[in-house]
Amino acid sequence: MTQARKVALIGTGLMGFPMSRNLLRAGHHLTVWNRTTERAEPLAKHGATVAASAAEAVAGAEFVITMLSDGFASGALLDDREVQAALSPGAIWLDMSSAKPEHSRAQAETLKSLGFGHLDAPVSGGTRGAEDGTLAIMVGGEAAHFDAARGVFEAMGRPVHVGPSGTGQLSKLANQTIVAVTISAVAEAMLLVEQGGADPAAVRAALKGGFADSTILQQHGERMTTRNFDPGGLTKFQVKDLNNTLDEATALGLTLPATQSVRDRFQYFIDEMNGAERDHSGLYLELRARNGLPV
C-alpha cells in the first residue's frame, strides 16, 4: 500500500485538475492552488484543501508539484521568496510542466543551494491519460529523490527515471517531436482515405495492431474525421514544445528537418486559422486548407 504523503499541487488546469483527483484517490493529503481560484475550488469536494496563495499551498508539503504552462512560469514561482520561505525542510519539488532542459537544470541548482530537492518530470498522455492515471512520466534528477517520489508519481501514471536534471524535459521534447510528426502523418493518411472513398473508421480498425498503429492514429485519427478539435493537447503548447526542441537541437549542433517543417505548419495553423486554443490534431485542418479543401 502506498504511503500517504503531504502533497501540494500548483496549477489545476486541463491536466492538473484530473491529476489532483488521482492523488486524492490514492490517499495522499493534497493542498492545491491555482492563480484562477475558480479552477481549484471544485477539488474541495474531492477532499483537497484549497489554499489562498502559493506560499500557503507549499507550507508543510513533502512534495510540491507544479503543472504550469512553461519553465518561465514554474521558475517564477520557485524564485518567489515567500514560496521559498514556506517550503518544508527536505521538500522535493516535482516540476511536471513542459519546459526547456536548461530551465530545469537551473531550478535544480537553485533548490539544491537552498537545501531542497528537484525533479523535472514532464508527462505524456494528454487529458485522457491525466484522467485515467496512466500518464507517461519522464523524470530527470537525483535517483534518491526519484525513489522518494515514486509513490506520488505512481498515483498519476508510470514514472521512469531517465537521467540527471534536465533529461526528463529532454525526453519530453523527444516525445513531442514524435507526436507532432506522427500527427502530420496521420492527417495525411486520413485525408487520403477520405478523399479516396474509404471509410476512415474502418481503415483505422484495419490498421489496429499492425506496424502503423498508434495511439495517435486511433485517437487523433478519429478526432480528424469526426472534426472534434476541442482541446486535449493545445496547439499553442505543441508549438512551444517544438520551439524548445529546435532550440535544444541548435545547441547540440543538430538539424531536425521534419520537426522544423511541422513546427512551421502548426504556427501557420495558429497565425492564419485561429488554431492556438484548438487541439493539436487540428493540424488536419491546415492540411485541408493546403489542398484547397473546405475546413
Side-chain angles (χ1 to χ4, degrees):
M1 184 175 179
T2 301
Q3 179 183 355
R5 311 307 292 258
K6 295 179 180 178
V7 182
L9 189 145
I10 296 174
T12 57
L14 285 172
M15 297 291 288
F17 192 95
M19 289 163 64
S20 296
R21 288 193 301 186
N22 285 327
L23 287 163
L24 291 164
R25 290 188 187 113
H28 296 296
H29 307 294
L30 184 68
T31 301
V32 296
W33 180 77
N34 195 78
R35 186 171 56 183
T36 305
T37 307
E38 292 77 13
R39 292 185 177 181
E41 287 175 339
L43 287 164
K45 67 181 180 183
H46 296 285
T49 299
V50 180
S53 68
E56 181 181 310
V58 306
E62 299 170 87
F63 299 93
V64 175
I65 297 172
T66 38
M67 193 61 179
L68 302 172
S69 58
D70 54 32
F72 294 102
S74 56
L77 190 68
L78 184 149
D79 289 336
D80 187 308
R81 299 292 179 152
E82 291 185 5
V83 171
Q84 291 178 359
L87 287 169
S88 296
I92 301 175
W93 193 297
L94 317 177
D95 186 21
M96 302 185 76
S97 317
S98 293
K100 293 184 177 183
E102 64 189 74
H103 289 167
S104 293
R105 290 189 288 266
Q107 290 172 22
E109 285 300 315
T110 296
L111 285 167
K112 185 176 182 179
S113 70
L114 296 171
F116 305 108
H118 178 275
L119 295 169
D120 52 292
V123 304
S124 178
T127 52
R128 184 175 298 185
E131 290 161 3
D132 296 342
T134 57
L135 291 169
I137 307 172
M138 300 147 271
V139 188
E142 294 184 17
H145 292 154
F146 174 74
D147 290 340
R150 185 189 295 273
V152 174
F153 284 135
E154 288 178 344
M156 299 174 283
R158 180 179 59 83
V160 177
H161 184 233
V162 296
S165 292
T167 58
Q169 297 296 351
L170 189 65
S171 299
K172 178 60 184 288
L173 295 182
N175 177 87
Q176 292 304 86
T177 296
I178 294 168
V179 167
V181 174
T182 305
I183 285 174
S184 174
V186 168
E188 292 185 13
M190 291 298 97
L191 185 62
L192 180 70
V193 298
E194 279 184 346
Q195 295 302 113
D199 177 353
V203 171
R204 291 194 300 273
L207 297 178
K208 195 172 182 66
F211 203 51
D213 194 17
S214 68
T215 300
I216 292 174
L217 173 62
Q218 299 302 333
Q219 291 187 12
H220 283 2
E222 181 180 11
R223 278 179 170 272
M224 292 169 187
T225 55
T226 60
R227 309 297 195 268
N228 173 18
F229 302 114
D230 293 337
L234 287 169
T235 295
K236 65 181 181 181
F237 293 150
Q238 180 73 75
V239 170
K240 182 248 318 182
D241 291 337
L242 292 174
N243 285 338
N244 288 344
T245 297
L246 292 166
D247 287 346
E248 192 71 12
T250 298
L252 294 169
L254 301 175
T255 298
L256 305 179
T259 304
Q260 183 68 63
S261 174
V262 77
R263 178 265 174 209
D264 292 345
R265 290 179 56 202
F266 274 114
Q267 191 66 56
Y268 179 90
F269 182 51
I270 289 174
D271 294 341
E272 304 299 330
M273 302 179 70
N274 298 315
E277 302 292 332
R278 306 189 85 177
D279 189 81
H280 53 178
S281 59
L283 189 68
Y284 171 81
L285 299 177
E286 184 273 346
L287 182 63
R288 289 186 66 90
R290 178 185 290 258
N291 281 278
L293 298 169
V295 298

